Amino acid sequence: MTPPETHPAHAVKIRPATLADAATLTELGARTFRDSFAADNTPEDMEAFLASHYRPELQEAELKDPLNLYLLAEVSGVPAGFALLRDGAREQCVQAEHPLNLTRLYVDRPFLGAKVGAALMLRCLEEARTRRHDVLWLGVWERNARARAFYARWGFTEVGEMRFLLGNDPQRDLVLTLAL
């Protein structure tokens, strides 16, 4: 795949994912997660996590859940990234009347720097505001400097922490919020 340096941000198309996208989301999700975190984790923990979170039947169930909204980013018809918004549960440190969880936001490696993440974030904010949420919140691994810098540029602030289990390794995620 050719890196998209020549693709302007407006070439990124964001659409709600459908059941037909389950296999794409499984493959893209596993690949982007592995690309993001494999170097800092054991192969055993990585494979255990991927096996428990990225299988077509799991993405199908997530797509069918009315509390979830998957957004798929494409550049020239090629899947370039995705986001998963989840209504409902929240961490105790998230103080809001009607929060929305940005559960996942990943960009495929060839599209990093092509404004795919920004396009996804804009659409997530639009969805949250349209649905009358008052806060967008997420968890980000404390050691993920790139993601933390991205969220800081959007105005997210740290409000707490939560445990994230990667295979058998309990890790510390920072909880970030953005008032809408």
Side-chain angles (χ1 to χ4, degrees), residues 79-130:
F82 69 97
L84 173 59
L85 295 168
R86 181 172 293 147
D87 202 349
R90 73 174 105 172
E91 290 296 310
Q92 192 168 5
C93 58
V94 175
Q95 302 297 309
E97 292 289 320
H98 193 47
L100 182 65
N101 180 215
L102 176 53
T103 305
R104 298 179 192 140
L105 192 155
Y106 289 100
V107 175
D108 203 4
R109 183 174 284 164
F111 297 93
L112 291 174
K115 305 297 183 195
V116 173
L120 279 165
M121 182 58 78
L122 282 171
R123 180 64 181 271
C124 288
L125 292 170
E126 177 185 306
E127 291 289 339
R129 289 181 178 120
T130 298

Side-chain angles (χ1 to χ4, degrees), residues 93-94 138 157-162 172-177:
C93 58
V94 175
L138 58 95
T157 58
E158 184 179 337
V159 297
E161 62 182 62
M162 63 186 198
R172 180 176 171 252
D173 275 9
L174 304 176
V175 177
L176 308 180
T177 61

Side-chain angles (χ1 to χ4, degrees), residues 25-38 41-59 62 82 104 106 164-168:
L25 290 168
T26 299
E27 192 273 328
L28 184 61
R31 183 174 63 247
T32 56
F33 194 88
R34 184 179 282 111
D35 287 349
S36 297
F37 304 113
N41 291 282
T42 68
E44 297 79 17
D45 284 334
M46 183 61 59
E47 292 311 312
F49 180 85
L50 293 174
S52 67
H53 285 78
Y54 291 103
R55 295 192 316 266
E57 64 271 18
L58 295 175
Q59 276 57 66
E62 288 174 334
F82 69 97
R104 298 179 192 140
Y106 289 100
F164 181 87
L165 189 60
L166 190 121
N168 290 314

Side-chain angles (χ1 to χ4, degrees), residues 4-14 74-75 113-116 118-119 122:
E5 290 88 21
T6 60
H7 296 292
H10 68 270
V12 179
K13 303 295 183 206
I14 309 290
E74 298 172 322
V75 175
K115 305 297 183 195
V116 173
L122 282 171

